[in-house]
Amino acid sequence: MESPSEGQPRTPPIDRNRELLKTAREETYKSVGGVNLSAYIWEPEMDKAPPYPRSVAAFFFSSGWDNGQVAQFAPHCVYFASRGMTTICFDYRVATRHGTGPVEAMADARSAIRWIRMNAVELGINPGKIVGVGGSGGGHAIASSVILNGFDDPSDALDCSPAPNAIVLFNPVMDTYSKHAFGRDRWPDQATCKAADLIRGIKPGLPPMLIMHGTADRVVPFDGSYEFARKSTKKKNLCRLIEFEGQGHGFFNFNLSFEMYEATLMAMDELFVELGFLEPDPEAGLGKVD
């Protein structure tokens, strides 16, 4: 087999997620500190769109609050747009690009949901059928919008609810304050760290929640999701935890394992149908993507 000549440039591998992101419509949902934050929007084709305002899924990438790629959930967005939803990937502030931390991420997630609601007519969506989806630090940010008070951007329309009507989380940071918590040193002080702990914030009346977490996650401990689900269920909330035995952090990503990506996507699809956010799919199942 011939090998490229020395010094000959190699063609970089195609990043499918970034290519899919290019198929979205980009809008600015928030300007803060001289930074414009983008929303990447996919809408269903006419023959897939329901004859009534659509449900919307808002995705917040995995970050640990320091990095991450907004294109991470582009494959999920394309799939659910094909099922009749409007889907949006939101960029939000992280340390490596903006010099910020988890508090700013939480504020941006709240701003994003408010932006959806305030633009519901233009987006053609039902403001009462918003699903917030997030991984890792992005999961904490969007889950905090339904569990915790405060952490708002003061320039937001605070009379508009920042809470989605359902939540889906991948290996989320639920525990910020115990000795085993991920990222305790990333908070401005211990009081804020404690106030941002989602397990401590559990209360009755939370929206339906699906959590998917690998039991072998060495980044964000699985125990945090287990404890959250146990305590939230005790409060009579609908909180389902799917344990992915032996899987590590990020197991659900399309570019890591199609099998795990498909399994988690179908779990989301089933929940959305159950909640009335999607019509049942007569041809359920994804099939292998090239």
Side-chain angles (χ1 to χ4, degrees):
M1 179 181 292
E2 294 183 1
S3 59
S5 301
E6 185 176 352
Q8 180 177 335
R10 295 175 180 268
T11 302
I14 294 174
D15 186 327
R16 184 175 184 275
N17 290 14
R18 289 193 181 188
E19 291 302 308
L20 287 177
L21 193 70
K22 295 176 183 177
T23 67
R25 182 178 82 252
E26 183 178 358
E27 294 190 20
T28 297
Y29 77 93
K30 179 176 180 177
S31 296
V32 57
V35 174
N36 291 329
L37 296 174
S38 292
Y40 297 87
I41 306 165
W42 289 262
E43 294 177 336
E45 306 225 351
M46 291 298 295
D47 61 334
K48 298 289 187 180
Y52 44 80
R54 300 181 290 273
S55 303
V56 58
F59 290 81
F60 299 84
F61 60 89
S62 302
S63 65
W65 308 301
D66 56 5
N67 52 34
Q69 297 292 331
V70 71
Q72 176 188 17
F73 286 113
H76 300 71
C77 286
V78 170
Y79 170 76
F80 282 111
S82 78
R83 290 279 285 115
M85 298 181 84
T86 293
T87 56
I88 310 174
C89 281
F90 283 98
D91 198 6
Y92 62 89
R93 288 173 289 173
V94 293
T96 54
R97 289 188 284 132
H98 309 104
T100 55
V103 172
E104 289 79 10
M106 294 164 75
D108 292 346
R110 290 164 185 262
S111 299
I113 301 302
R114 288 184 170 116
W115 180 84
I116 292 174
R117 284 211 166 92
M118 294 176 70
N119 291 278
V121 174
E122 292 85 350
L123 292 169
I125 63 95
N126 184 337
K129 289 187 175 181
I130 300 172
V131 185
V133 186
S136 190
H140 175 275
I142 191 56
S144 72
S145 68
V146 302
I147 297 169
L148 305 177
N149 296 320
F151 297 101
D152 297 289
D153 189 317
S155 64
D156 277 2
L158 299 181
D159 58 342
C160 180
S161 172
N165 307 99
I167 293 284
V168 176
L169 304 173
F170 296 93
N171 47 253
V173 180
M174 309 303 274
D175 166 24
T176 62
Y177 195 65
S178 80
K179 64 180 180 180
H180 303 296
F182 170 84
R184 278 193 65 163
D185 59 339
R186 303 183 189 189
W187 296 89
D189 53 63
Q190 286 305 295
T192 306
C193 178
K194 184 176 181 180
D197 188 274
L198 300 184
I199 296 174
R200 291 171 179 267
I202 294 170
K203 57 195 173 188
L206 295 178
M209 192 173 298
L210 170 64
I211 305 171
M212 293 177 278
H213 206 139
T215 60
D217 193 332
R218 296 183 179 180
V219 180
V220 177
F222 169 79
D223 289 350
S225 288
Y226 180 85
E227 187 71 1
F228 180 91
R230 184 182 69 82
K231 290 186 174 181
S232 188
T233 300
K234 277 187 138 184
K235 295 288 187 181
K236 310 300 182 184
N237 296 313
L238 172 58
C239 184
R240 293 177 183 158
L241 171 63
I242 302 179
E243 304 177 19
F244 284 83
E245 190 66 35
Q247 296 297 322
H249 199 68
F251 72 96
F252 57 91
N253 285 304
F254 175 87
N255 56 12
L256 187 63
S257 166
F258 183 82
E259 180 184 3
M260 292 294 100
Y261 163 77
E262 183 178 40
T264 56
L265 206 65
M266 289 300 97
M268 293 173 65
D269 195 295
E270 290 172 8
L271 176 67
F272 295 170
V273 170
E274 179 183 340
L275 296 177
F277 286 21
L278 277 181
E279 295 296 326
D281 183 4
E283 300 177 357
L286 300 176
K288 183 69 177 175
V289 175
D290 293 332

